[in-house]
Amino acid sequence: MEEITVTESAANRGNVVYLCSALGGAVADFGGRTEIVSDDVRASLKIFVPEEGADFVRGETEDKIADVIAVRYKYEFFRRRVRPEGVDGLERELLYAALISADLFEDKRYIVRKLRAFREYAVDGIWNFRLGALRRKWTDIVGYIPLYFDGKKLKDFITYLVGEKKGKKVVVENGLVYDKHFNRLRRAALVDAEGEGVIVREVLLSGCGSVELSGAVPPVDEKYLREYFGSSVSFTGGAQPRS
């Protein structure tokens, strides 16, 4: 068995829980197991996997750590620095999701390159000491964001960000969001998405360019999906657009 260890500050134990959930299936496929150990200072995810699956699971671990940094850490970064007037709470959350997704895959590729220097991963330490260029990039982005949005400006801004995504499609079925391989997407858990607009936030965080809706979708989610994706929203499996 090979052991892969990921640690975080105790205050960010939720990130470790997310990693355990996201990696559990892949680890189990190779006959391995996961274990969370935590105290008042650190939270650790320990992954035990047979050698034949170690390289694959390590790659998946680095990909999901990159999700934590490129989604959760970026969310906290923007939430502290971007507080535009003229939008309500949900619209502000949708703005954060769109900003996160704009460079998500570029950010993740950069993070994964940095992670490959490690055998054990201290997520907060990597963020604090190895990703200065990423923080500077995010700081520059903050400087370009308007201080005020009305409904039209917000729609135009998010529609522009969404329009940069080409080809990638997600499926929304029974309130859950899946990629083209029918893997369930869960990045909204990293931004504490609850209540209204969870689906549209998950879709935005997927970085997709089009959406297929199957089954009933809450009116709030459908409203914003139609606003931001327009003709790139399709309805199948009994789902019908609302007039």
Side-chain angles (χ1 to χ4, degrees):
M1 284 278 184
E2 181 169 328
E3 180 179 337
I4 302 170
T5 301
V6 184
T7 68
E8 254 281 26
S9 66
N12 287 329
R13 186 179 184 278
N15 293 339
V16 173
V17 173
Y18 171 83
L19 291 168
C20 186
S21 175
L23 295 166
V27 174
D29 286 345
F30 287 101
R33 62 184 178 87
T34 58
E35 175 185 349
I36 294 177
V37 180
S38 60
D39 56 28
D40 292 339
V41 179
R42 302 294 292 172
S44 301
L45 171 63
K46 295 185 178 295
I47 301 170
F48 303 92
V49 62
E51 289 185 7
E52 61 269 23
D55 287 345
F56 177 82
V57 171
R58 184 172 290 279
E60 289 293 293
T61 300
E62 291 174 352
D63 178 76
K64 295 304 182 288
I65 293 172
D67 265 342
V68 167
I69 296 173
V71 177
R72 179 67 189 191
Y73 276 68
K74 193 174 185 180
Y75 173 70
E76 294 293 347
F77 189 93
F78 282 133
R79 191 169 67 166
R80 288 193 295 270
R81 294 166 176 82
V82 178
R83 304 290 296 178
E85 298 295 327
V87 292
D88 62 24
L90 175 57
E91 289 173 333
R92 187 175 287 119
E93 292 296 322
L94 296 177
L95 173 63
Y96 296 149
L99 289 168
I100 289 166
S101 70
D103 295 321
L104 179 62
F105 301 109
E106 178 184 328
D107 289 349
K108 285 187 62 175
R109 284 192 294 270
Y110 173 77
I111 294 164
V112 168
R113 288 199 301 271
K114 294 294 185 179
L115 291 173
R116 286 175 180 159
F118 298 90
R119 300 304 294 172
E120 295 187 0
Y121 311 96
V123 180
D124 52 345
I126 292 165
W127 164 250
N128 286 323
F129 300 110
R130 293 300 184 100
L131 298 176
L134 194 63
R135 289 197 299 277
R136 289 190 292 273
K137 172 188 170 183
W138 294 353
T139 300
D140 289 343
I141 292 170
V142 169
Y144 297 128
I145 299 170
L147 299 176
Y148 178 85
F149 284 98
D150 59 24
K152 183 179 186 305
K153 286 181 179 178
L154 181 67
K155 176 185 175 182
D156 290 346
F157 188 75
I158 296 181
T159 299
Y160 168 76
L161 295 177
V162 167
E164 295 294 295
K165 312 294 181 183
K166 303 297 182 184
K168 185 175 180 181
K169 182 173 76 172
V170 297
V171 176
V172 179
E173 184 173 295
N174 298 322
L176 304 178
V177 183
Y178 301 88
D179 67 15
K180 65 180 180 180
H181 302 296
F182 220 70
N183 298 308
R184 184 179 168 190
L185 302 177
R186 305 170 185 266
R187 291 190 182 116
L190 290 168
V191 297
D192 300 328
E194 297 179 350
E196 285 190 328
V198 174
I199 293 173
V200 67
R201 278 180 275 180
E202 190 74 77
V203 170
L204 287 170
L205 289 169
S206 75
C208 71
S210 62
V211 188
E212 179 182 305
L213 302 181
S214 178
V217 179
V220 168
D221 292 286
E222 185 180 322
K223 170 193 170 184
Y224 286 112
L225 287 172
R226 293 179 70 182
E227 280 191 8
Y228 300 150
F229 291 87
S231 62
S232 294
V233 177
S234 60
F235 298 83
T236 65
Q240 295 295 327
R242 300 173 194 270
S243 58

